[in-house]
Amino acid sequence: ILNVEQSPQSLHVQEGDSTNFTCSFPSSNFYALHWYRWETAKSPEALFVMTLNGDEKKKGRISATLNTKEGYSYLYIKGSQPEDSATYLCAFIDRGSTLGRLYFGRGTQLTVWP
Amino acid sequence: DVKVTQSSRYLVKRTGEKVFLECVQDMDHENMFWYRQDPGLGLRLIYFSYDVKMKEKGDIPEGYSVSREKKERFSLILESASTNQTSMYLCASSTRTGGFQPQHFGDGTRLSIL
């Protein structure tokens, strides 16, 4: 079982604050990294699939960066809104894993207060 | 849009019962996955399948089995339900290219074993 760490475990911010959290993964045998958002009572929704060192992806106010050499990815939310409240999951794919199975971190639970 | 449908949102069963959780996807995906999610533990892979009648154990297969008789359907079976199998169960699917495409999730089944 590969170790994928996410920090912080939970985060409470005020509406309008910008925030970021971290996903750490094994730097050897990197294949891809996924970010998902999981809102309460809904299904996890893919945000980004990142494959190259130095990748930067953006979707509205959310962006992500990737450093495969040191084994981390950052997720940034600019100007947080209450609708951003969710658990954010990262998942690592090892080059040796069969068929793209994901190894998930435990998630960062974000609460945005109005 | 990919649709992954799980047969029940909530299910209550008794210890010792044989329990079937069904998952159907409509996008002709080769890969299908079953996860469970417990507080503080993130998503853990139980089983996955990359083709009809093919299956691979994930990280926590004990007490579970799976069936994939048709490409679109992947069933999770609790052979003799126990209280420690009370959990949220999520099904997902993806293309065979695996890691470079996201997984698509169902809404989850919250299973309680009494």
Side-chain angles (χ1 to χ4, degrees):
Chain A
I1 297 177
L2 296 176
N3 197 30
V4 180
E5 299 281 346
Q6 288 189 249
S7 62
Q9 187 175 341
S10 66
L11 199 52
H12 296 254
V13 301
Q14 288 293 129
E15 183 175 356
D17 287 351
S18 294
T19 187
N20 67 86
F21 19 94
T22 306
C23 173
S24 301
F25 52 84
S27 56
S28 58
N29 276 347
F30 176 86
Y31 188 72
L33 189 88
H34 294 199
W35 280 101
Y36 293 85
R37 174 172 58 199
W38 193 2
E39 296 177 66
T40 303
K42 295 187 178 180
S43 55
E45 169 199 6
L47 288 172
F48 305 114
V49 175
M50 309 183 80
T51 57
L52 298 174
N53 185 46
D55 247 358
E56 291 189 30
K57 301 244 177 178
K58 189 173 181 181
K59 188 176 184 177
R61 291 179 293 98
I62 303 176
S63 59
T65 61
L66 178 68
N67 184 323
T68 61
K69 295 187 187 307
E70 296 183 40
Y72 63 85
S73 176
Y74 293 138
L75 190 79
Y76 300 92
I77 303 178
K78 185 177 178 182
S80 302
Q81 300 296 309
E83 58 265 31
D84 295 328
S85 297
T87 296
Y88 291 82
L89 298 167
C90 72
F92 170 78
I93 300 174
D94 178 79
R95 188 172 292 280
S97 295
T98 53
L99 302 160
R101 66 153 290 176
L102 299 176
Y103 293 89
F104 280 91
R106 297 185 181 189
T108 292
Q109 188 171 6
L110 175 66
T111 304
V112 183
W113 299 102
Chain B
D1 273 357
V2 176
K3 185 75 174 172
V4 179
T5 304
Q6 294 185 229
S7 51
S8 307
R9 289 298 298 268
Y10 300 94
L11 205 53
V12 180
K13 296 291 182 180
R14 298 208 171 269
T15 54
E17 281 192 68
K18 191 168 186 176
V19 180
F20 294 85
L21 302 183
E22 306 287 348
C23 176
V24 177
Q25 50 93 6
D26 65 359
M27 282 300 290
D28 203 36
H29 282 169
E30 291 81 8
N31 298 344
M32 296 188 75
F33 305 83
W34 274 107
Y35 298 91
R36 65 178 278 178
Q37 194 267 338
D38 300 289
L41 292 180
L43 285 175
R44 293 183 292 167
L45 183 64
I46 304 171
Y47 267 100
F48 64 104
S49 168
Y50 52 91
D51 205 345
V52 175
K53 297 192 186 296
M54 306 305 288
K55 61 184 179 184
E56 294 273 346
K57 291 181 181 178
D59 299 322
I60 50 165
E62 296 78 20
Y64 303 94
S65 62
V66 289
S67 172
R68 190 140 179 229
E69 296 297 317
K70 293 185 178 180
K71 190 175 185 179
E72 67 271 19
R73 185 179 296 269
F74 192 34
S75 303
L76 180 70
I77 303 154
L78 285 66
E79 296 291 344
S80 177
S82 64
T83 54
N84 63 11
Q85 292 177 309
T86 291
S87 188
M88 166 73 89
Y89 290 87
L90 280 167
C91 175
S93 71
S94 72
T95 61
R96 175 155 288 155
T97 50
F100 287 3
Q101 297 295 327
Q103 289 188 7
H104 299 267
F105 287 85
D107 287 338
T109 295
R110 190 166 291 281
L111 176 65
S112 296
I113 306 296
L114 305 179

